[in-house]
């Protein structure tokens, strides 16, 4: 049975991009391998939610996925702009040139006609039935490139900010590749390693390895574009009378002045302390949380009552 990406993330088909991202962050944090060492079930769930987010966070892939769901099949992302039939079980298939197999899953006998436009766009855009397109074009075509391989690479927030170099293993081959993670890459960013995909045959060029980067949630920071968000907590008294507190930025620790009478949830900006990417310097926004005492002594209670009066 095909994976229902909406069900995997626990969102509706009408969920917004922000709702999809929020659901993924929550589930990724829950099932992350670092928090569930040795737990194969958690590892499997992490891969499932990552695969779902890979499709639903990309507007083009999501539109393709939704269209194919409507007609009783799913569209994959294998190869260069093609479908990935390898992940499904029931297909209508034909042998192509050089031993290749081209497969499409049909929901019913009547479903064939629903795919004619899709097939036509894939094989030259000429008119005629899907059957004639298959016979006249597909059998004479030979893909120029071998299929691409896809992989996901989870990285820490600070690795996404500063950049890093990671070594990965490719499939079951034992082959190791160094991957340079560019500074400032965002969640869902792609890294393409040319020629590291499926090997070509009969004159084909090797496919590429396309790596989707997954930035794991950080306990201190959150990023929106070049701006970074964090928070500090001060006591009720300090918020009333004013104080200074230490705040961690991306590169150092600075002293932040909290004015007297600061209200809970106040957001303060540290200009130029965000991320500098693409010629634009971001800022750091600090949300001030005020800690309200849960238990007061009788003396403290009387002082508050006098203050109110």
């Amino acid at each position: 049975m095909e994976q229902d990406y909406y069900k995997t993330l626990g969102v509706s088909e009408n969920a917004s991009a922000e709702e999809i991202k929020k659901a993924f962050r929550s589930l990724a944090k829950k099932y992350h391998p670092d928090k569930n060492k040795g737990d194969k079930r958690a590892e499997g769930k992490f891969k499932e939610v990552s695969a779902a987010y890979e499709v639903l966070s990309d507007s083009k892939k999501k539109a393709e996925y939704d269209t194919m769901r409507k007609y009783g099949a799913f569209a994959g992302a294998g190869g260069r702009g093609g479908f990935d039939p390898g992940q499904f079980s029931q297909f209508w298939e034909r042998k192509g040139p050089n031993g290749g197999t081209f497969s499409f899953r049909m929901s019913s006998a009547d479903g064939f006609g629903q795919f004619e436009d899709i097939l036509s766009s894939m094989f030259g855009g000429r008119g005629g039935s899907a059957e004639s397109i298959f016979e006249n074009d597909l059998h004479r075509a030979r893909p120029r490139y071998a299929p691409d391989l896809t992989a996901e690479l989870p990285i820490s927030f600070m690795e996404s900010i500063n950049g890093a170099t990671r070594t990965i293993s490719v499939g079951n081959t034992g082959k190791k590749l160094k991957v340079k993670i560019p500074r400032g890459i965002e969640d869902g960013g792609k890294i393409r390693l040319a020629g590291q995909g499926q090997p070509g045959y009969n004159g084909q060029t090797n496919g590429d390895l396309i790596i989707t980067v997954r930035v794991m949630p950080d306990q201190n920071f959150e990023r929106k574009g070049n701006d970074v968000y964090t928070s500090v907590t001060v006591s009720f008294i300090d918020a009333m009378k004013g104080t200074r507190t230490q705040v961690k930025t991306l590169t150092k620790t600075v002293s932040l002045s909290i004015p007297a009478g600061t209200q809970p949830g106040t957001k303060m900006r540290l200009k130029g302390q965000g991320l500098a990417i693409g010629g634009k310097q971001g800022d750091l926004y600090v949300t001030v949380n005020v800690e309200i005492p849960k238990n007061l002594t009788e003396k403290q209670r009387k002082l508050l009552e006098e203050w109110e009066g």
Side-chain angles (χ1 to χ4, degrees):
M1 181 177 293
E2 296 88 353
Q3 181 181 357
D4 185 331
Y5 292 148
Y6 292 103
K7 186 175 180 180
T8 297
L9 293 183
V11 297
S12 71
E13 294 183 10
N14 298 320
S16 65
E18 188 62 31
E19 289 172 329
I20 291 171
K21 182 177 180 180
K22 184 177 179 180
F24 167 71
R25 286 173 62 89
S26 176
L27 291 171
K29 193 172 182 180
K30 178 179 179 181
Y31 294 115
H32 193 276
D34 289 347
K35 289 189 174 182
N36 301 274
K37 295 187 183 298
D39 188 336
K40 294 297 183 182
R41 179 180 175 278
E43 181 181 345
K45 293 292 288 184
F46 180 76
K47 290 180 180 179
E48 287 180 9
V49 300
S50 296
Y53 185 67
E54 158 74 13
V55 172
L56 299 186
S57 64
D58 186 307
S59 59
K60 184 177 179 181
K61 290 181 181 179
K62 183 177 183 296
E64 183 184 50
Y65 175 73
D66 289 342
T67 299
M68 300 303 284
R69 275 168 58 90
K70 180 179 178 182
Y71 294 114
F74 293 96
R80 296 175 185 270
F83 296 105
D84 182 12
Q87 58 185 308
F88 308 122
S89 58
Q90 297 175 358
F91 299 96
W92 177 77
E93 60 181 33
R94 289 279 182 120
K95 291 293 182 181
N98 307 313
T101 299
F102 297 83
S103 305
F104 298 90
R105 183 178 188 271
M106 300 300 170
S107 58
S108 68
D110 294 335
F112 187 88
Q114 297 170 341
F115 285 85
E116 289 192 357
D117 291 340
I118 297 173
L119 291 172
S120 179
S121 66
M122 289 176 64
F123 303 120
R126 292 193 290 277
S129 70
E131 182 69 19
S132 65
I133 292 170
F134 236 60
E135 295 295 337
N136 298 328
D137 293 333
L138 180 58
H139 284 285
R140 292 183 301 182
R142 185 174 69 188
R144 226 181 120 192
Y145 295 92
D148 294 335
L149 290 178
T150 60
E152 291 199 344
L153 179 62
I155 64 174
S156 70
F157 178 85
M158 292 310 298
E159 284 178 318
S160 75
I161 295 297
N162 299 321
T165 299
R166 298 279 291 273
T167 300
I168 64 171
S169 296
V170 182
N172 298 320
T173 64
K175 183 179 181 180
K176 295 187 180 298
L177 297 174
K178 283 191 175 181
V179 180
K180 186 175 182 181
I181 301 167
R183 180 174 175 270
I185 193 168
E186 296 192 67
D187 181 62
K190 311 274 187 193
I191 300 173
R192 180 183 291 270
L193 300 184
Q196 298 298 333
Q198 295 281 13
Y201 60 92
N202 289 349
Q204 284 183 325
T205 299
N206 287 359
D208 298 338
L209 173 60
I210 302 172
I211 300 172
T212 300
V213 173
R214 293 299 174 204
V215 180
M216 295 298 100
D218 188 85
Q219 62 180 357
N220 296 316
F221 299 108
E222 184 176 354
R223 176 185 173 188
K224 294 181 181 178
N226 282 13
D227 294 330
V228 179
Y229 295 76
T230 189
S231 63
V232 294
T233 300
V234 298
S235 70
F236 174 68
I237 299 298
D238 284 340
M240 289 179 60
K241 64 185 182 63
T243 188
R244 296 194 73 85
T245 189
Q246 301 297 300
V247 176
K248 287 184 178 180
T249 71
L250 296 177
T251 59
K252 58 187 176 181
T253 300
V254 299
S255 179
L256 177 66
S257 175
I258 307 295
T262 294
Q263 300 298 303
T266 296
K267 190 175 292 183
M268 306 179 72
R269 184 178 73 156
L270 295 181
K271 190 174 181 180
Q273 293 297 325
L275 188 62
I277 293 292
K280 181 181 178 182
Q281 176 67 59
D283 300 324
L284 176 68
Y285 290 88
V286 183
T287 298
V288 181
N289 298 320
V290 179
E291 188 175 35
I292 307 297
K294 295 180 179 179
N295 299 301
L296 295 175
T297 65
E298 190 61 30
K299 181 178 180 181
Q300 290 170 331
R301 189 182 301 279
K302 287 182 178 180
L303 287 172
L304 283 176
E305 289 174 352
E306 291 176 5
W307 176 64
E308 284 183 339

